[in-house]
Every structure is written in C-alpha cells, then in structure tokens.
C-alpha cells in the first residue's frame, strides 16, 4: 500500500502506511516518528505514533501542509536511522480472585482452562504499538490466537486502575479508573502514569512488555512498595 | 500573605487554562487549553499579559471572586459577560475590558449570554505550578491548573507577585461572535468511510449542539451520517476540531479535552480559524458546515490572526467607558437580579 497523507484540516496530517494492525507497519510508523522528531522541522508541534499511521500535529502559521508533506517525503526516502532506544519491561500481574473478574468467562469462551489462559497471556513478549484512549494506556500485541475475543457487549462503567485486560488481538493495562469494555483477566500493582514524571507514561510505543505472574501475597507486598515509592518496575534496554 | 483571588462562588465549571499542553499526546495526554483561544488571548492582552498566560475559563455561569491583594488588574473577554463589582462600590463595569480592583473588592461575572465560555485574565497571571509544561486543567485526568479540578468555594487562587502597574484597557468593538457563521471544514481524514449521501448531508443540513456538550466535545443533533461499511477503524490520531461519527451516525465535534486517539472514522475537521467559534457554541445553537481545501484553511487562519491583531491594536484606555456609567446604572436593576442558570 502506498503511503497516504490524510489532512485533519490545517493543523495535523496523518501519514498512513496501511489500514491494518501489523508489526512491520508499526516499525515503519515508529521509524518515521524518530526521523520527524529528530529533524525538528519548524512548525511541527508533536508526533503521535498509532498502529498504522503517524499523526503529525503542526502550527499552520509556521508551516504549510504542502511544505510539511514535502519534508516528510524527503524523510521517508532518506536512509534508515537508528530507532530510539527501547526497553523490555517485566510487569508483575496477579491473575487471581477478584483481581481477575473475567478470567473464568474468558476461559469458558475460549475453551481453555484458566491456568492455560494465564500461561498463554504471560507466555510471550508484547510490542507496545501505541499509547492512547487514556493518559498512559498502552495498546500491546499481539495476543496468541487462542485468546482473541471481541470486546464485552456491556462495557463496565468503572474498571479499577491496574486492571490487565484483553480484547481483539490486544492486551492493555488501565492506568486510571475509567469506563472500559475489555475483559479483565488480572491486575498489576505498578503505576503506568504519573503527571509528576518528566515522561508521564511508563511505557512508550516500541517498548516490549513481558507479564510475570505473581500471587496475592506478592501483589500486596508490591502494592505497598509502590505506595511507599520504593519499587521500580524491572526493565532492561533492548538492543536496536 | 501572597496575592490571591478568593473563590466566593465557583460558577458552574471554572478552570485554569492556557493555550494547551503540547508534547505529551504520544503518552495519551490530551492537549486541553482554552476552548475559545481567541477570547482567551484577548483577555490576556487586556491586562498586558503574553498570550499563553494562565487565566480562568468560565463555562456557562460565572464565579464570584474576592480580591486578596492590594490591587489587581483583571480583564474579561467573551460573550456578553460583564464584571460586576459588588458591595459598597457596587457597579456593573462591563465586559471586553480590564478593571483595577482593590483588596476586599468582591466581583462577579454575570450571565455569559450568547457564548458558552468567557475568560478572566489577571495581570501577571494565575501562579499555578505548570504540570507537564502547561497550566491547563485536565479535569478527567485530575492534573494541571488548580489542584487538577474545577474551582470550588473557598479556593485561594495564587497570583503572580509584583505585577506591573498598567492602565485599564477596553476593546473598541468586541470580535464577531460568529453565531451565524457557517463553520468551515476540510473533509477527512476518513471521508471515504462514508456514503456520498452522508457527505451531502453534512454539507447541506443544519445541526444543533445537543445537551451533551462539554470540554471533550459537542454531540450534534440532526440527520444521521451513514457509514459506507462499518463504523470501526484501526485507532489513529485525533486533531482538535475532528468530527467523528460513531455507530449511531450522530456526529461528535471534538474539542480541547478530546482523546488523543480513537477508533471511529472522522468525516471532516473544523479549520483552525473556526475552532474558537465552535468552542463558544452552546447547547441548542445551530451549526452548518461548508467544505474548503487545506490551502484555504491556512489563508483563513492567517486572516483570523490579522483580525485579532487589529482588535488588539485598537484597544484604548478604558477611562472613556467610565463616562457612560449613567447608561450602565440603569441597566444595573435589570442585570443584577438575573440568576445566570442557563444550563
């Protein structure tokens, strides 16, 4: 598919690589984001990577759409640059009891034992495609085929913060209490967003996440440590 | 004690805003900022502030405030809102102007009239700590502005120290509120997800702002807009002014606090020059749309900046306005008794 430039009036352009969710497409989006950010084009306000396109917000008084498109075309044609450093996060998740209100239903609907759902969910490394919907809300994928379910028919009005959820081919963590229509299969005690952090979202597009099952005692212990402010989510740099 | 404004009555939804929080949309943080950036900037200019100085956004119904500083210069811009000084020195001082007030003065912002919002700026600015580089309040996220929320009775809004003494100013003529303006849009980014009939309807029909109207967006009543096949897209970025259409076919015009990404197709986007005009629309207001190309949108924006500069250049000393106070006095009886419960 050819790259398409889709204007949102005179203040944003989406550079669209595809109409599908796809790891290779995500890499193209993230590579362009890195180039546009590094180019520091006058008038570009910020970039927002999403599944299959890069949203470029700009100031129409400083750069015209035609100039921005030309500059992005040059960047697209240029040599690949090193992607910004990425991290692998080890996120502790408790898949038990009231922390996993939809686990039994997910097991029933997928025809798997609850332990098998957990084993599958925690059994692979996920790619952070994008942050959106809520501050710090990560869309991560792809789920094993066996766990793919549509969203709930009746969205919950209140999903507790820290809920680990699945829907379609994605998994996510709710950073805040909010309405939500995904299936809640566990909970993490870590914080994903803090407006006092210089980078307020813990995870960034391009990062990788591995869920580490913990029991209720460990959950309580970590939750207390998080509240005290002396817990750092284990993570390591990934080679480019 | 530091200079402050004390909140005697908060109004319906009064928040600290600036021109927005940029640089964190990739972390899912909405831009927020003034719904009507034009009036926001005029309010700041009336008190000699840079455009992006923290000021109060007042929605639908104004607050009553008390001056806890020797002197403050406040400026009001938007709708038909007026500053009314209460107490012994009671007087309706009007809108689209700045006014110097003294310690202990209580004043209120009366009914907003034709606009959903107006702005009260203070010389030197409201001294809230910036959060992620901005003073804007994002109430749903609970951060920014004053304690991350709308003002409440008893709040003490800190003011900048040592604001420079400045003359009272007024606008010769307020800007056109644009209530009858046909809102200019650029079709897309997902117009190809809609039927030809839906595009014709969007450009030909009249819509009305529904009761579901807040800082996130305006849900529009009117004919339904039909999708071509399905109403889900793979989530992508959202610009302020985007008109997204969920499965119901009822369009939602997204404003300052909108989500950074979303999975509904966006049939069109309001041009930046018209964002202040849609930002001040109220439930019940009619809206019509007209399509323009991006290059025309860019020209419209330059024109609106020039118009704002001309309005600013024509600001004059407010003393002349004091002389017509006799006219205002007879209005006092009419105005002071009105309860501003318009929502």
């Amino acid at each position: 598919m050819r790259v398409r430039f889709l204007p949102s009036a005179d203040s944003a352009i989406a550079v669209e690589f595809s109409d599908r969710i796809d790891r290779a497409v995500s890499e193209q989006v993230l590579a362009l984001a890195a180039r546009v950010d590094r180019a520091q084009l006058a008038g570009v306000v910020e970039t927002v990577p999403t599944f299959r396109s890069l949203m470029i917000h700009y100031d129409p008084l400083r750069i015209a759409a035609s100039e921005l498109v030309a500059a992005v075309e040059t960047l697209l044609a240029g040599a690949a640059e090193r992607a910004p450093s990425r991290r692998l996060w080890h996120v502790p998740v408790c898949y038990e009891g009231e922390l996993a209100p939809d686990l039994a239903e997910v097991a029933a609907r997928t025809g798997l034992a609850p332990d098998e759902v957990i084993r599958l969910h925690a059994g692979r490394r996920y790619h952070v495609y994008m942050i959106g919907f809520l501050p710090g809300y990560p869309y991560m994928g792809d789920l094993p085929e066996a766990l793919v379910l549509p969203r709930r028919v009746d969205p919950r009005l209140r999903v507790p913060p820290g809920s680990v959820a699945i829907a379609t081919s994605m998994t996510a963590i709710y950073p805040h209490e909010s309405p939500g229509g995904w299936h809640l299969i566990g909970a993490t005690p870590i914080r994903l967003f803090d407006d006092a952090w210089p980078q307020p979202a813990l995870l960034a597009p391009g990062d990788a996440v591995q869920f580490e099952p913990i029991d209720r005692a460990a959950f309580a212990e970590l939750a207390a440590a998080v509240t005290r402010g002396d817990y750092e989510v284990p993570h390591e740099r990934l080679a480019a | 004690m530091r200079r402050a404004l004390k909140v005697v009555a908060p109004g319906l939804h009064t928040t600290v805003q600036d021109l927005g929080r940029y640089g964190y949309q990739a972390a899912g943080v909405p831009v927020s900022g003034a719904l009507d950036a034009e009036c926001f900037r005029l309010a700041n200019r009336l008190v000699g502030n840079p455009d992006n100085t923290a000021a109060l956004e007042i929605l639908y119904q104004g607050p009553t405030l008390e001056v806890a500083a020797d002197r403050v210069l406040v400026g009001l811009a938007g709708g038909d809102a007026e500053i009314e000084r209460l107490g012994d020195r009671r007087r309706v001082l009007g809108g689209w102007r700045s006014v110097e007030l003294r310690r202990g003065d209580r004043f209120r912002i009366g009914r907003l009239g034709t606009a959903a919002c107006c702005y009260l700026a203070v010389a030197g600015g409201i001294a809230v700590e910036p959060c992620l580089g901005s003073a804007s309040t994002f109430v749903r996220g609970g951060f920014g502005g004053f304690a991350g929320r709308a003002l409440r009775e008893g709040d003490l809004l800190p003011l900048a120290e040592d604001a420079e003494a400045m003359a009272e100013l007024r606008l010769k003529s307020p800007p056109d509120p644009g209530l009858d303006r046909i809102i200019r849009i650029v079709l897309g980014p997902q117009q190809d997800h809609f039927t030809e009939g839906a595009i014709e309807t969007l450009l030909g029909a009249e819509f009305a702002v529904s009761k579901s109207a807040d800082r996130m967006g305006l849900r529009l009543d009117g004919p339904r807009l039909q999708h071509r096949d399905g109403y889900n897209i793979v989530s992508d970025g959202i610009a302020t002014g985007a008109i997204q259409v969920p499965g119901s076919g009822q369009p939602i015009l997204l404003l300052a606090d909108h989500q950074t990404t979303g999975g509904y197709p966006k049939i069109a986007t309001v041009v930046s020059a018209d964002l202040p005009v849609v930002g001040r629309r109220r439930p019940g207001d009619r809206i019509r749309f007209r399509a323009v190309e991006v290059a025309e949108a860019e020209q419209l924006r330059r024109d609106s900046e020039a118009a704002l500069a001309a309005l600013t250049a024509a600001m004059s000393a407010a003393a002349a306005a004091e002389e017509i106070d006799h006219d205002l006095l007879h209005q006092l009886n009419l105005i002071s008794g009105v309860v501003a419960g318009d929502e």
Side-chain angles (χ1 to χ4, degrees):
Chain A
M1 186 171 157
R2 269 193 77 236
V3 173
R4 297 204 298 165
F5 293 90
L6 305 176
S8 285
D10 55 336
S11 59
I13 289 179
V15 185
E16 190 180 278
F17 291 90
S18 168
D19 54 6
R20 289 175 302 118
I21 296 176
D22 180 286
R23 269 301 296 274
V25 169
S26 176
E27 293 302 335
Q28 287 180 293
V29 171
L30 294 171
L32 181 63
R35 289 185 203 180
V36 172
D37 291 348
R38 195 164 311 181
Q40 300 195 335
L41 303 169
V44 167
V45 175
E46 59 185 312
T47 60
V48 182
T50 63
F51 289 111
R52 41 69 184 255
S53 62
L54 181 70
M55 187 72 151
I56 304 177
H57 295 274
Y58 67 95
D59 176 355
L61 295 173
R62 297 187 63 202
I63 187 168
S66 55
E67 296 166 325
L68 179 56
V69 167
V72 171
E73 277 176 335
T74 304
L75 291 173
L76 282 169
E81 283 184 58
R82 250 160 46 94
S85 76
R86 294 174 173 185
R87 300 157 299 181
L88 168 62
W89 299 89
H90 299 273
V91 173
V93 179
C94 180
Y95 295 91
E96 296 174 23
E98 82 280 0
L99 296 174
D102 296 336
L103 181 61
E105 191 191 329
V106 167
R109 289 182 62 180
T110 56
L112 300 165
D115 280 355
E116 185 64 4
V117 172
I118 296 166
R119 197 187 64 77
L120 284 172
H121 186 256
R124 67 165 62 177
R125 199 186 270 192
Y126 296 99
H127 170 70
V128 179
Y129 281 95
M130 57 182 267
I131 309 288
F133 170 53
L134 297 169
Y137 185 96
Y139 289 84
M140 299 174 281
D142 293 356
L143 284 177
E145 197 61 42
L147 293 183
V148 172
L149 288 174
R151 289 175 181 77
R152 289 166 57 88
V153 176
D154 291 316
R156 285 186 172 82
L157 290 176
R158 296 166 75 155
V159 172
S163 295
V164 174
I166 61 171
T168 67
S169 60
M170 293 291 134
T171 182
I173 308 170
Y174 286 82
H176 320 273
E177 181 181 289
S178 85
W182 292 29
H183 309 273
L184 313 182
I185 61 165
T188 176
I190 71 167
R191 303 186 63 201
L192 282 110
F193 185 89
D194 190 328
D195 59 76
W197 297 338
Q199 289 303 325
L202 183 75
L203 307 177
D207 283 355
V209 168
Q210 173 81 54
F211 295 111
E212 314 279 359
I214 56 172
D215 63 18
R216 306 194 49 137
F219 182 92
E221 209 169 289
L222 287 182
V226 168
T227 305
R228 288 196 306 271
D230 56 9
Y231 177 74
E232 193 181 352
V233 185
H235 63 281
E236 61 215 70
R237 297 268 163 211
L238 287 176
Chain B
M1 222 177 75
R2 79 168 300 165
R3 307 172 74 239
L5 284 179
K6 186 179 171 194
V7 178
V8 178
L12 199 61
H13 188 83
T14 305
T15 54
V16 176
Q17 298 293 341
D18 59 17
L19 291 174
R21 177 174 288 110
Y22 290 96
Y24 300 96
Q25 289 192 76
V29 178
V31 173
S32 301
L35 287 173
D36 175 354
E38 188 172 277
C39 288
F40 179 89
R41 292 162 73 190
L42 284 171
N44 269 322
R45 291 176 185 194
L46 282 166
V47 296
N49 288 343
D51 281 358
N52 198 22
T53 306
L56 291 182
E57 176 174 278
I58 294 162
L59 267 181
Y60 299 118
Q61 182 186 323
T64 300
L65 303 167
E66 184 179 303
V67 177
D70 289 340
R71 283 166 193 285
V72 295
L73 184 71
V74 300
L76 184 71
D80 308 314
E82 299 187 296
I83 298 172
E84 181 184 357
R85 192 173 57 209
L86 305 170
D88 299 344
R89 303 165 64 224
R90 182 171 192 156
R91 194 174 195 182
V92 175
L93 297 157
W96 303 104
R97 61 166 295 179
S98 50
V99 174
E100 192 183 79
L101 297 164
R102 297 183 211 152
R103 184 178 295 281
D105 277 348
R106 280 189 177 197
F107 65 103
R108 77 174 168 199
I109 310 303
R111 58 201 310 269
L112 274 59
T114 54
C117 52
C118 69
Y119 295 89
L120 185 80
V122 184
I126 294 166
V128 292
E129 276 298 313
C131 176
L132 300 173
S134 165
S136 286
T137 314
F138 176 48
V139 171
R140 272 181 313 123
F143 57 84
F146 185 87
R149 58 167 172 78
L151 299 187
R152 293 179 192 153
E153 183 184 336
D155 285 343
L156 271 181
L157 268 182
L159 303 181
E161 302 296 331
D162 304 323
E164 264 179 57
M166 224 197 80
E168 296 180 347
L169 293 176
R170 70 185 177 97
L171 277 180
K172 212 174 243 163
S173 55
D176 170 16
L179 290 177
D180 306 324
R181 188 187 298 176
I182 296 179
I183 300 302
R184 278 77 55 104
I185 56 179
V186 175
L187 289 177
Q190 280 99 27
Q191 77 268 37
D192 53 356
H193 282 64
F194 294 87
T195 63
E196 277 175 36
I199 306 280
E200 277 171 30
T201 301
L202 178 71
L203 298 176
E206 185 176 78
F207 295 86
V209 178
S210 76
K211 294 262 188 221
S212 296
D214 60 17
R215 284 184 43 84
M216 267 184 87
L218 311 174
R219 205 177 280 267
L220 303 181
D221 286 331
R224 305 284 144 146
L225 302 178
Q226 199 172 357
H227 302 86
R228 198 182 282 278
D229 23 46
Y231 53 84
N232 284 307
I233 59 168
V234 175
S235 283
D236 70 353
I238 297 179
T240 302
I243 300 171
Q244 76 173 20
V245 186
S248 66
Q250 188 180 17
I252 303 171
L253 202 170
L254 294 167
L255 300 177
D257 281 354
H258 69 81
Q259 291 175 197
T260 54
T261 64
Y264 295 121
K266 298 160 285 287
I267 191 170
T269 311
V270 174
V271 304
S272 65
D274 283 349
L275 289 177
V277 178
V278 291
R280 64 177 81 116
R281 293 266 161 115
R282 307 166 56 97
D285 285 355
R286 308 284 151 180
I287 291 196
R288 284 179 171 277
F289 298 106
R290 176 166 80 78
V292 299
E293 297 297 323
V294 173
E296 187 179 349
E298 291 168 345
Q299 185 58 47
L300 289 168
R301 179 59 189 278
R302 288 192 288 272
D303 294 347
S304 79
E305 288 297 314
L308 193 63
L311 278 174
T312 308
M315 282 179 183
S316 57
E322 302 289 335
E323 290 163 21
I324 59 163
D325 206 48
H326 293 295
D327 297 327
L328 287 167
L329 272 176
H330 91 268
Q331 293 177 20
L332 193 64
N333 289 327
L334 298 174
I335 294 164
S336 61
V338 173
V339 176
D342 294 308
E343 170 62 305

